[in-house]
Amino acid sequence: MASSATPEGTRRYAARFSGRAAEGHFRSSPALGTGEQRGLLLSSIGIGTYLGNPDAETDQAYTDAVVAAVEGGINVIDSAINYRFQRSERSIRAALEKLAQLGYARDELVLATKGGYLTPDGEMPADPGSYFFREYIEPGVFRVDEIAGGHCMSPRYLANQLERSLLNLGVESIDVYYLHNPETQLGLVTREEFARRVRAAFEYLESAAAEGKIRLYGMATWNGFRQPETAPDYISLREMVLLAHEVADDAHHFRVVQLPFNLAMTEALTRPNQAFDDGRLPMMEAARALGVTLVSSASLLQGQVARNLPRFIAEALGLGSDLHRALQFARSAAGITTALVGMRRVEHVRENLELVGVPPASEEQFARLFERGESV
């Protein structure tokens, strides 16, 4: 039995929805994967597991939501070890166990999680300082000087967090493992030190890929790849790819970046902030040129871009609701492979699943949105 997503497994998953899923809902990225991982099919919408209280009721809600999502045509599941103090990963484990009983195999699902932030286990401890000292500093998992802004990406810490995530999720391998908001450390350490820390993290993640604990790795960011080049927390994609090349040459597994993209945050498409050759490209074009797949987070910006939209957006995209139009925008950009949406209620999952049967917006529809200027 495969321990991770495979091209054959994801094709089998997509075939379950033959006649129900519109053309373009399942897609592969030329940049996604190396060797046997090339050819994975990802749903155009993925389920995120960020928000919610750290309680049993929310645990069960997420489990039910993930099951409903997979049953409805979503095979990309995204989490992070710090989401709800590790409880979101455990909710996904419960969902995977139920899905296995329903006949869904591990190789059909693309599972992603993240590491980097310091996080308690299950709930906030009464004395966080004592907890982190006992759990991490005393055993030598990290040193105090390796922490910046509540964030750590030392190899020892990442190894510890990856093992915990594998246990939380109940899997042998994670398909995409992200460094979580590494730009948190910029401004607190020099750029030279930041590059050194990222390179050391990449060296560890390449070793984890060699051991089969992860298949691919990347960065899940908020500001880093959207900012102007002069911003303190700006990240150059080209520099990150070069670091990966230094570690593993063309066989490197740095293949995925997650960043916000929605109707209010269009920088990945519209801001030419990434150096390439002698010019500057927007992140979507730079990623394509550098062999990196993009996944959008905050596709609905917690619902903020899914209501009271200008009339011209409805005229360009059609559809029956602002929520569907906002999600259609995020999933239809040519540079985005999967648009993530936080969904902790089954009714929200079912509402978003209505787009599974709708083709992504055409280039003509999408271009119409920008006829009035760079920002929609």
Side-chain angles (χ1 to χ4, degrees), residues 81 86 89 156-172 174 177 204 208 211 213:
I81 193 168
Q86 305 188 47
E89 289 186 331
R156 292 186 310 280
Y157 183 64
L158 291 176
N160 175 281
Q161 296 296 279
L162 176 56
E163 292 299 334
R164 291 179 187 230
S165 287
L166 289 167
L167 182 62
N168 288 342
L169 292 163
V171 297
E172 297 177 18
I174 291 164
Y177 191 81
Y204 166 69
E211 294 176 13
K213 293 180 179 180

Side-chain angles (χ1 to χ4, degrees), residues 12-43:
R12 187 187 332 116
Y13 178 82
R16 294 174 181 266
F17 300 91
S18 177
R20 286 188 285 164
E23 184 177 355
H25 172 61
F26 292 106
R27 67 271 294 259
S28 63
S29 165
L32 188 64
T34 58
E36 63 180 17
Q37 294 305 111
R38 290 194 186 277
L40 292 178
L41 284 181
L42 279 66
S43 52

